[in-house]
Each structure stands twice: as structure tokens, then as C-alpha cells.
Amino acid sequence: MGWWQISADTLAGSRFVISPFAEAFASLRLLHAAEAAHPGERRWLDAHLPAYRRRLARDPVTAQLISAGIGREWTADFLSPAPRDGEPFEQGVERVRAADPEAARAHLTVSLRGPVPAVLHRDDLPERAADLLTYVWTTAVRPYWPQRRHILEADVVARTAQVSRGGWASALDTLRPGTQWLGENRLQVNAHEYPPRELSGAELVFVPITTQRIGWVAWEGTERYALVYPCAGALADPGGGPVPASLGALLGAARAGVLVRLGSPLSTSQLVAVTGQGLGSVGRHLRVLLDAGLVERRRAGRSVLYSRTAAGQVLVEATEARNRPGPRRS
């Protein structure tokens, strides 16, 4: 297993950050894998995979570069520099473009676990990778970024609350498969057999992404480290589950949207993030739903979490079933 030795000071200074570049690279990896983890990813792939494949068909060098760079156990380092707090996509992708061509080819030998094909013995590999990432960001991520950012913000709220309740160990154990706090200041970051790394005095960030079967680690020298992980499953589907028309007619679309989201416990801040509604609006909807006995609340550490009651669950399921296509009697 791969693990990091993290000093108490480094862990205490670590933080969760949101990175549009990491989201774009995760989306590139999802396009490369073409395997959806939930209906929201399936809809996104159906919308963007055909155009992505056409682009690579017109550019076989870049197609082979991506296939070589995204390995089964390792991704070429120059493709995924460690995300930085507050960095816009454009600055992140310029770090890819500025990579040294010789170093990029060396990174490919690691991801390929062997020699680089002759077609990739060229000096424009970083520029080609940056151009493809820019294409993915512009066409397939940026149109959804406001909603995805809300989802990622909600995950950060939940993780921060988890750290407050149970400490870093409880939060790190649940980041992604293969990640586990081992004790004695050791964090397992994946299941692969790689040499441990000493992070004392380094900057450490944890970066959520919306894609669900994807995660990775990245670093710059010994100064900056990042662990990129899929955001919480309850928040992951950008579609969020459609609001049944009959439920929207009964409660109002905005209030029904809050009730639909509460299949898993969420805080007010998380609801604001994932619904895009204002704090005052979400608060009013929750008061009405509480008074009607459709949701309940409970305290978890410093957070107050809301979830559907049995009555709220029956109502949502009944309206979903009513709106589901089914056989008709003649």
C-alpha cells in the first residue's frame, strides 16, 4: 500500500479546497474510462462522449498520449499537477502546458510501466495535453460548473463538520476506497505498493470532485501535496433526482426540491449549496416541511441535519411511482 507520513503540524494546517482544474481532469478521466457510476454521469457521458471521441479520432497523437498517460495504477505526473487553493482553471492548465517535454516523457514511462511509443517521442506533448484539457473544460465542464461548485461546496461543509465531530481520522477513513488513517501519523492514500513519503512541513490539501469512481494523489516536489477524492455519494449526481411533477404541484417546485434532496441527511448549508436556493428560502421551506411532519432534524456535533420522516418518504415515493411510466390498460 502507498502511505504518507504526516506530521501533526501539517495535518493541522491542511484544508479542503475546490479546484476547477481537478474537476476538468477528473472529467477527462471519466471520458477516457467511459463508465458511469450513476444516472447523472450516464447522462453527461451520453451528451459529451461522442464529440470527445470524434476529436481524438482527428488527433491520433493526443489519443495515444491520453491512453499512455492515464495508466491502470498511475497517471503521468505532468497531466495532473497538485491543485492550488483559489486557482482558476486557466492557471492550472498553464502549469500542464509549461511542463518540460523530457520530464513528460519520463512520466509516461511510469504510467505505461514501460517504454514510450515512438509516436510520443516529441516535444509538444504538454501542449497537446493542455489543449485537450481546455477542450474538456470549455465544452463539458464549464457549462455545469456553477452547479458542480455548489455540490463540491456541500461536500466540504460535510467533511469539515465530520472533522469537528470525530477528528481528522474519522474524515480521512471515508474519503475514498483505499484511503485510511493508519495511526502513528500515517495516512494510506491508495492500495498500490509505492514508497512512503514524508510530508512534514508541506502544504496538504484535500480536493473533492464530482466524478465517483475517480481519485488520485499529486504533489509538487516536497512542498505541496494533494489528495483528490470523489465527493459524498448523496451529493454526487448533478441531476439530483428530478422533482416529480405532482409533488411540485402539491408543495411548490422549490419546496419539493428540498424534500427530494433529503433522502440523505443534509445541513441547511448543504441544502443551499445543492439546490442553489438562498439561505432564507431554504429555511422557510424547512419550517413548513417540519410543521407538516415531512422532515425531521437532529443535531450531529455542531451541525443540525435534516432528513425525511417516514411520512415524507412515503409521499416522495408515491409521487415518483405516479410519474413513472408503466403499462396501460386498454
Side-chain angles (χ1 to χ4, degrees), residues 167-204:
W168 275 105
S170 67
L172 297 178
D173 279 348
T174 59
L175 279 183
R176 66 186 181 100
T179 300
Q180 183 180 2
W181 184 251
L182 301 174
E184 299 180 344
N185 292 338
R186 295 180 303 155
L187 172 63
Q188 178 182 329
V189 296
N190 56 43
H192 306 310
E193 293 296 331
Y194 290 106
R197 299 182 70 91
E198 170 64 51
L199 273 63
S200 295
E203 178 186 359
L204 173 61

Side-chain angles (χ1 to χ4, degrees), residues 16-20 84-87 145 149 152-153 156 207-208:
F16 293 91
V17 304
I18 293 171
S19 167
R84 297 178 180 177
D85 192 6
E87 181 180 61
W145 179 241
R149 186 180 65 246
L152 298 174
E153 288 169 350
V156 170
V207 186

Side-chain angles (χ1 to χ4, degrees), residues 89-103:
F89 169 81
E90 291 76 14
Q91 290 182 11
V93 80
E94 282 309 308
R95 291 195 285 136
V96 176
R97 197 181 303 276
D100 177 71
E102 185 175 348

Side-chain angles (χ1 to χ4, degrees), residues 43 104 155 260 316:
R43 290 191 296 270
D155 183 86
V260 167
V316 171

Side-chain angles (χ1 to χ4, degrees), residues 9-42:
D9 288 344
T10 295
L11 188 58
S14 64
R15 60 194 183 279
F16 293 91
V17 304
I18 293 171
S19 167
F21 176 81
E23 186 70 13
F25 183 66
S27 297
L28 172 61
R29 289 186 57 175
L30 179 56
L31 288 165
H32 177 72
E35 295 180 359
H38 57 67
E41 285 190 358
R42 182 73 267 163

Side-chain angles (χ1 to χ4, degrees), residues 182-241:
L182 301 174
E184 299 180 344
N185 292 338
R186 295 180 303 155
L187 172 63
Q188 178 182 329
V189 296
N190 56 43
H192 306 310
E193 293 296 331
Y194 290 106
R197 299 182 70 91
E198 170 64 51
L199 273 63
S200 295
E203 178 186 359
L204 173 61
V205 296
F206 301 98
V207 186
I209 51 176
T210 62
T211 50
Q212 285 298 285
R213 292 186 181 142
I214 293 169
W216 66 91
V217 296
W219 54 77
E220 295 177 27
T222 59
E223 295 79 34
R224 180 178 293 109
Y225 289 80
L227 194 156
V228 183
Y229 66 92
C231 69
L235 307 175
D237 184 349

Side-chain angles (χ1 to χ4, degrees), residues 23-279:
E23 186 70 13
F25 183 66
S27 297
L28 172 61
R29 289 186 57 175
L30 179 56
L31 288 165
H32 177 72
E35 295 180 359
H38 57 67
E41 285 190 358
R42 182 73 267 163
R43 290 191 296 270
W44 184 84
L45 281 172
D46 289 344
H48 298 287
L49 186 57
Y52 171 78
R53 285 177 168 170
R54 287 194 297 270
R55 190 187 191 284
L56 289 189
R58 296 192 300 267
D59 186 358
V61 174
T62 299
Q64 190 148 351
L65 166 62
I66 295 305
S67 181
I70 302 177
R72 292 185 177 181
E73 295 185 358
W74 197 258
T75 297
D77 288 353
F78 82 99
L79 291 176
S80 57
R84 297 178 180 177
D85 192 6
E87 181 180 61
F89 169 81
E90 291 76 14
Q91 290 182 11
V93 80
E94 282 309 308
R95 291 195 285 136
V96 176
R97 197 181 303 276
D100 177 71
E102 185 175 348
R105 288 191 293 273
H107 296 166
L108 290 175
T109 65
V110 178
S111 59
L112 283 168
R113 307 191 76 173
V116 176
V119 70
L120 298 181
H121 283 268
R122 49 195 301 154
D123 289 341
D124 63 348
L125 300 183
E127 183 174 355
R128 286 177 175 273
D131 287 346
L132 184 62
L133 279 161
T134 300
Y135 164 80
V136 171
W137 165 255
T138 303
T139 64
V141 179
R142 189 168 61 187
Y144 310 95
W145 179 241
Q147 187 176 23
R148 290 192 183 194
R149 186 180 65 246
H150 287 322
I151 293 168
L152 298 174
E153 288 169 350
D155 183 86
V156 170
V157 169
R159 303 288 181 179
T160 303
Q162 190 173 9
V163 172
S164 298
R165 293 193 302 270
W168 275 105
S170 67
L172 297 178
D173 279 348
T174 59
L175 279 183
R176 66 186 181 100
T179 300
Q180 183 180 2
W181 184 251
L182 301 174
E184 299 180 344
N185 292 338
R186 295 180 303 155
L187 172 63
Q188 178 182 329
V189 296
N190 56 43
H192 306 310
E193 293 296 331
Y194 290 106
R197 299 182 70 91
E198 170 64 51
L199 273 63
S200 295
E203 178 186 359
L204 173 61
V205 296
F206 301 98
V207 186
I209 51 176
T210 62
T211 50
Q212 285 298 285
R213 292 186 181 142
I214 293 169
W216 66 91
V217 296
W219 54 77
E220 295 177 27
T222 59
E223 295 79 34
R224 180 178 293 109
Y225 289 80
L227 194 156
V228 183
Y229 66 92
C231 69
L235 307 175
D237 184 349
V243 176
S246 56
L247 185 62
L250 177 65
L251 300 178
R255 187 168 299 149
V258 171
L259 183 62
V260 167
R261 281 290 188 180
L262 289 176
S264 297
L266 297 174
S267 69
T268 305
S269 298
Q270 290 174 302
L271 284 166
V272 168
V274 299
T275 64
Q277 300 179 40
L279 179 60

